[in-house]
Amino acid sequence: AQKITQTQPGMFVQEKEAVTLDCTYDTSDQSYGLFWYKQPSSGEMIFLIYQGSYDEQNATEGRYSLNFQKARKSANLVISASQLGDSAMYFCAMRDPNFGNEKLTFGTGTRLTIIP
Amino acid sequence: NAGVTQTPKFQVLKTGQSMTLQCAQDMNHEYMSWYRQDPGMGLRLIHYSVGAGITDQGEVPNGYNVSRSTTEDFPLRLLSAAPSQTSVYFCASSYSTQGNEKLFFGSGTQLSVL
């Protein structure tokens, strides 16, 4: 069974600083996919970034990058130059390789608060 | 382009009542799922479907039924609501299961069972 662990329930970061949100995962499979989603206070789930287990380079999407360390089974999200609008819940998720996007396993999330 | 549409946005039920949460997508996605979100527990998969006529159970299926008669619609039925089903429910859809194909989420339904 897949498992995602996010050990930081909440974080406070000064505006314009970089922030790293931790995510570790547990799987015995070699092929898998990792996602990060953002949930602002309005409640919608916003896709941020994806990393495939066979991708040789760390994924990047604008100010978001994923620090993928396969041997450590970690997939930390890095947000550069944080903004007030980054305040939200952030979820790490894994796609079960035996299934697909219809079956994601989510972590418990990290609530990020950006301080002006 | 509406994406994934969930109705209603809010609902209050009494214990024992039944209701259906509606989910529709207009992107011709094959894969659809229902998740519930509870404080401190992230999102947990209730049921999912890989195409019309095909459904299966997720992590927390008890108390919920689904059907998929069309590609577009994937309703979630609560047969006899219980306070433990108080939660925020999300419907999601995806075109494929490979690569970086992401899930598209609906805006959620906040359900309270008294």
Side-chain angles (χ1 to χ4, degrees):
Chain A
Q2 319 284 307
K3 185 176 181 181
I4 296 285
T5 302
Q6 294 181 255
T7 58
Q8 306 154 309
M11 288 187 68
F12 291 85
V13 174
Q14 204 74 36
E15 188 180 8
K16 299 182 183 177
E17 289 185 349
V19 57
T20 297
L21 305 181
D22 294 341
C23 172
T24 58
Y25 58 91
D26 186 18
T27 181
S28 56
D29 297 292
Q30 297 301 310
S31 175
Y32 48 88
L34 295 155
F35 299 80
W36 276 92
Y37 280 86
K38 172 184 179 181
Q39 186 180 43
S41 58
S42 52
E44 73 267 32
M45 296 289 287
I46 302 169
F47 167 77
L48 294 179
I49 199 166
Y50 168 84
Q51 180 82 43
S53 59
Y54 290 122
D55 293 342
E56 294 185 353
Q57 293 191 340
N58 287 343
T60 60
E61 291 283 351
R63 293 187 300 112
Y64 304 107
S65 60
L66 202 150
N67 184 1
F68 182 48
Q69 299 189 39
K70 197 169 181 178
R72 291 187 169 185
K73 293 187 177 179
S74 73
N76 298 339
L77 178 69
V78 180
I79 306 174
S80 64
S82 58
Q83 303 171 355
L84 295 179
D86 294 332
S87 293
M89 281 289 288
Y90 289 81
F91 292 97
C92 181
M94 170 182 280
R95 180 174 61 218
D96 189 325
N98 297 313
F99 293 87
N101 284 349
E102 74 277 12
K103 209 173 179 184
L104 294 192
T105 299
F106 285 82
T108 53
T110 295
R111 182 172 298 280
L112 175 65
T113 303
I114 306 299
I115 305 167
Chain B
N1 191 352
V4 181
T5 303
Q6 283 184 244
T7 56
K9 291 189 182 300
F10 302 95
Q11 183 71 49
V12 178
L13 292 177
K14 294 181 179 179
T15 298
Q17 286 185 317
S18 63
M19 79 158 296
T20 299
L21 305 186
Q22 301 292 344
C23 176
Q25 52 90 9
D26 61 359
M27 298 172 282
N28 201 31
H29 284 171
E30 288 294 321
Y31 304 97
M32 297 187 74
S33 310
W34 276 102
Y35 291 86
R36 61 177 287 174
Q37 182 179 16
D38 302 295
M41 302 188 75
L43 279 75
R44 293 181 293 167
L45 182 65
I46 305 171
H47 285 284
Y48 64 94
S49 169
V50 298
I54 306 169
T55 64
D56 208 344
Q57 296 180 352
E59 180 184 355
V60 287
N62 292 340
Y64 308 95
N65 278 356
V66 293
S67 60
R68 185 99 179 268
S69 57
T70 67
T71 299
E72 295 77 20
D73 299 301
F74 191 43
L76 178 72
R77 298 182 185 85
L78 284 70
L79 300 178
S80 178
S84 61
Q85 294 178 305
T86 294
S87 188
V88 179
Y89 292 84
F90 286 97
C91 179
S93 73
S94 175
Y95 178 67
S96 76
T97 65
Q98 300 303 318
N100 63 353
E101 190 67 33
K102 63 187 180 187
L103 277 183
F104 290 80
F105 283 87
S107 56
T109 296
Q110 189 165 329
L111 175 68
S112 294
V113 182
L114 306 178

